[in-house]
Amino acid sequence: MSGDPGRSGPRPEDAPQGAPRIPGQRYPLENGEESLPQPPAPVPPDSVPPGSAPQSSVPPSAPLPSAPQPSASQDPPPLPHQMLKSLLGAWALAACSPRESLSVEEHLGHCGSCAEEALRLRQAVELLHPAESLDLDPALRRRVLGKAMEGRPARIPVPRWAEAYDAETARLDALLKDFGTAEWHAGVGLRWYRHDAQVRRKTTVGGVLGHLTAVDGVVARALGLPDPLGGDAAAEAGSAEGTPRERTEEFWRAAAAPMGRELRGPWRDQSHELVRTLAFAGRGSGLLPVSYGGCALPMRDALVDRAFACWVHAGDIAEAVHYPYAPPAPGHLHHMIDLAARLLPTALAARRRDGLGAAVPPRGPGSAGRALRMEVEGAGGGEWLIPLDPPPSGPGGAGPAAGTAASAQQVAGPQAPGQAPPGRQAAGGEAAAEAPPADEVAHIALDGIEFCRLAAGHLPPPEAAAGQHGDREAIREVLFAAAALSRM
């Protein structure tokens, strides 16, 4: 044993050593505490009984204190006014976080100045980003179908003179696709001119489709296809070779119930079959005669006539259901205008036979007679010389076929299929280069769409010509002859 004999009592180095002190947990200042918690006071050495180990300041079995957690139900502190005011621009642009948007909107409820500023900012944002309707553009379907038909080549080439009919029946079918019962039975007014007066007939959308089906049947009969009126029944009723109006009335009488959606399928099948048959028939099919009851047209003109009727009546349907409908493609529109121009000499002769036209002035031998220059403006337009006097041999036949053999001559503009260059084109595709020059006594200018509306009986003749020069009586005769081309 070693030690200092001069000292009594235990020495410091001989005292039992206590357990090491365990520091308390540190608390972050970010939790909102004003100061760190004070550690417990150390135990004085004198309070430790002799022979016992000093106790730790933290009981071993006691759980360590944990950091205080924010309460889930505790609301965040409100943002100051200046900060909320600075967020108004971002709020107007919908660029705030959900918490910021909620704070701003609550603040606007009781702060008038900020509410006025927020209203001005929102109005400014609306000017930068105008509101757009969620409704689809009504013309979207037409544009999509047009692009699809332009980019899709036909497996079997369709004759050029049948392309307009193929396109117009497809456009009408697209219009009818989504019609409900109310649209199918909507009232439609058919209009045409007879004896210089407009005639009207009320029907429905289904009735218009029945009219197109019945009149397209004359083309089907010429191609040897089934007649929608039925062969025997139509012959007994006198409608097999009847006029378009007679065939339509017979079709309407034969309908067992009000015509509606059920007509769309048979009409579309018939139009497909007509185009398919003409595609396989070859070039000679364009000269086949198509009888309209007392008059006839070659097949190539009859298909343009049916395309014109399909477009006009599709416009009637669209007007009845308040739906927009665009005009045909410029090339197809030109074929329709050209056909109407070539039929004008026949219409003039028919008016004179009915006592509606002015008397033809006498002309000397070798004279080509009078003519009117008709200028059609816009897409599909051109210029035509319309003969006002019959040929020296007489007025010619009574039907459009004879009229198309007259001398309506296109002198400018794009050419319809089978035509000669401008200045040499006689109606019906026959050359007229050797004919003496006609005496132009008048000149009229019309818009292409308005001329078609005139020929369809939808526009009064005095309102058609945009520009007139020359013989006023000759101009009136031509305008009323154009209206006389219309029929049911």
Side-chain angles (χ1 to χ4, degrees), residues 137-210:
D137 183 1
L140 178 61
R141 172 181 290 177
R142 175 180 59 82
R143 293 198 301 268
V144 172
L145 290 175
K147 290 295 183 181
M149 287 188 288
E150 289 176 3
R152 181 184 61 186
R155 295 183 180 179
I156 303 172
V158 177
R160 288 186 59 195
W161 41 265
E163 289 177 353
Y165 177 78
D166 190 23
E168 291 308 311
T169 52
R171 291 206 307 145
L172 176 55
D173 184 59
L175 174 66
L176 300 173
K177 181 178 180 181
D178 296 329
F179 274 17
T181 303
E183 286 84 3
W184 277 103
H185 296 290
V188 181
L190 301 181
R191 293 164 286 175
W192 67 96
Y193 265 76
R194 183 180 181 185
H195 302 311
D196 291 354
Q198 191 178 61
V199 181
R200 292 176 177 266
R201 176 68 184 272
K202 293 292 291 183
T203 183
T204 63
V205 172
V208 173
L209 203 61

Side-chain angles (χ1 to χ4, degrees), residues 2 9 44 53 75 97 122 139 142 164 168 183-184 206 224 239 241 305 330 336 363 369 402-403 421 454 466:
S2 63
D75 294 334
S97 66
R122 271 291 170 89
R142 175 180 59 82
E168 291 308 311
E183 286 84 3
W184 277 103
S239 299
E241 298 292 339
D305 171 75
M336 300 173 189
R363 56 175 175 166
L454 173 66

Side-chain angles (χ1 to χ4, degrees), residues 118-133:
L119 179 60
R120 288 193 293 269
L121 291 173
R122 271 291 170 89
Q123 293 173 347
V125 170
E126 292 177 359
L127 295 176
L128 295 175
H129 304 282
E132 296 182 0
S133 174

Side-chain angles (χ1 to χ4, degrees), residues 9-18 45 50-54:
R11 294 177 298 178
E13 60 268 17
D14 295 335
Q17 301 295 323
S52 63

